[in-house]
């Protein structure tokens, strides 16, 4: 991941870490969910809406320059946590153009966590000379990380989205199980790719992760069920 994107995620983390740690059991977006995009050398901060129950969302945000057009059709960020997005882009130039998006949401996760991701693209060959969408950073379009309060980032191991030159690409999916020794206070995802000239693309995907109960938790649950069954048996007698 580039230093510029790491810096943007770090800035977002500084904004959310205090409030996320103050309310570890139930993090909410408030002013702490962030979204940005960049293309053609210009950066845009995306205004965030927040629902009554603390979820962040964006609908039909548009940014256009002489070089291209971006539509963030849908973005949903749930500190539960989940990031869900739908994006449309058009390259107005005759040369490949870089598009980058970044999303972050406060979280409060530790212990064993299951992570999943998915992304798909639909490509349009505007010039009739072929179309290609390719990752810009590394080998994946969608990259996801978690951060603790010290700004230490951990790749979730669910980066997905390879280069593609057909009309429909994907879905590309990833899953992984992580074990965090410290509480993670922010989840970040970036979507970065290069699109060939005079072409268009639509992308949709998500990153989601959930705690996995430890064996001791399963044992306590089992003992609780056994206790209820035993009590019921004695009540019947």
């Amino acid at each position: 991941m580039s230093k510029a994107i790491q810096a943007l995620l770090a800035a977002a983390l500084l904004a959310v870490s205090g409030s996320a740690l103050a309310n570890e059991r139930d993090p909410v977006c408030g002013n702490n969910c962030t979204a940005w995009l960049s293309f053609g050398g210009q950066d845009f901060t995306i205004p965030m809406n927040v629902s009554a129950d603390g979820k962040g969302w964006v609908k039909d945000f548009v940014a256009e320059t002489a070089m291209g057009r971006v539509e963030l059709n849908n973005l949903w960020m749930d500190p539960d946590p989940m990031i869900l997005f739908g994006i449309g882009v058009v390259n107005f130039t005759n040369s490949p153009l870089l598009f980058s998006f970044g999303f972050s949401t406060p979280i409060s996760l530790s212990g064993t966590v299951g992570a999943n991701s998915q992304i798909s693209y639909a490509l349009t060959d505007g010039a009739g000379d072929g179309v290609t969408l390719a990752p810009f950073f590394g080998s994946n379009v969608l990259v996801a990380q978690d951060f603790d309060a010290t700004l230490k980032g951990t790749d979730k191991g669910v980066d997905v989205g390879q280069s593609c030159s057909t009309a429909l690409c994907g879905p590309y999916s990833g899953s992984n199980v992580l074990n965090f020794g410290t509480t993670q206070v922010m989840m970040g995802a970036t979507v970065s790719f290069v699109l060939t000239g005079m072409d268009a693309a639509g992308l949709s995907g998500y990153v989601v992760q959930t705690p996995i109960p430890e064996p001791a938790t399963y044992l306590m649950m089992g003992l609780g069920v056994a206790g209820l069954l035993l009590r019921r048996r004695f009540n019947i007698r």
Side-chain angles (χ1 to χ4, degrees):
M1 184 180 295
S2 75
K3 291 183 179 179
I5 288 184
Q6 285 182 329
L8 286 166
L9 288 174
L13 176 57
L14 287 172
V16 308
S17 59
S19 60
L21 286 172
N23 190 17
E24 288 188 4
R25 291 179 177 271
D26 186 24
V28 297
C29 273
N31 295 322
N32 299 320
C33 285
T34 63
W36 55 266
L37 67 90
S38 176
F39 70 98
Q42 296 192 43
D43 300 326
F44 301 84
T45 299
I46 303 170
M48 185 69 56
N49 302 292
V50 180
S51 64
D53 58 349
K55 310 299 190 293
W57 62 275
V58 175
K59 185 174 177 60
D60 298 331
F61 175 83
V62 176
E64 184 170 335
T65 70
M67 300 185 73
R69 176 183 173 91
V70 167
E71 296 181 8
L72 184 56
N73 307 119
N74 289 284
L75 173 64
W76 181 257
M77 293 199 289
D78 183 350
D80 201 354
M82 175 183 70
I83 297 175
L84 176 71
F85 58 87
I87 298 166
V89 303
V90 183
N91 181 356
F92 293 157
T93 75
N94 293 315
S95 302
L97 186 64
L98 168 63
F99 295 86
S100 294
F101 302 80
F103 314 118
S104 64
T105 177
I107 61 175
S108 181
L109 287 176
S110 60
T112 305
V113 175
N116 295 274
S117 68
Q118 182 172 289
I119 192 168
S120 302
Y121 343 131
L123 308 182
T124 301
D125 181 6
D129 56 354
V131 55
T132 297
L133 186 151
F136 183 73
F137 299 112
S139 57
N140 295 289
V141 170
L142 173 60
V143 175
Q145 286 187 308
D146 287 335
F147 294 85
D148 65 17
T150 69
L151 306 184
K152 180 182 178 181
T154 300
D155 192 292
K156 285 200 278 286
V158 294
D159 300 345
V160 291
Q162 63 192 47
S163 180
C164 184
S165 300
T166 60
L168 298 177
C169 310
Y172 307 107
S173 302
S175 63
N176 193 26
V177 175
L178 305 93
N179 203 317
F180 293 116
T182 58
T183 300
Q184 304 298 295
V185 301
M186 187 183 79
M187 177 168 71
T190 58
V191 178
S192 297
F193 56 90
V194 174
L195 180 65
T196 44
M198 303 303 293
D199 295 330
L203 303 89
S204 61
Y206 63 80
V207 180
V208 61
Q209 54 191 22
T210 54
I212 298 175
E214 301 290 344
T217 304
Y218 284 118
L219 176 60
M220 293 301 294
M221 291 171 62
L223 290 173
V225 171
L228 289 173
L229 292 174
L230 186 61
R231 180 178 178 182
R232 181 180 178 186
R233 180 179 178 183
F234 277 107
N235 285 342
I236 293 174
R237 288 184 177 182

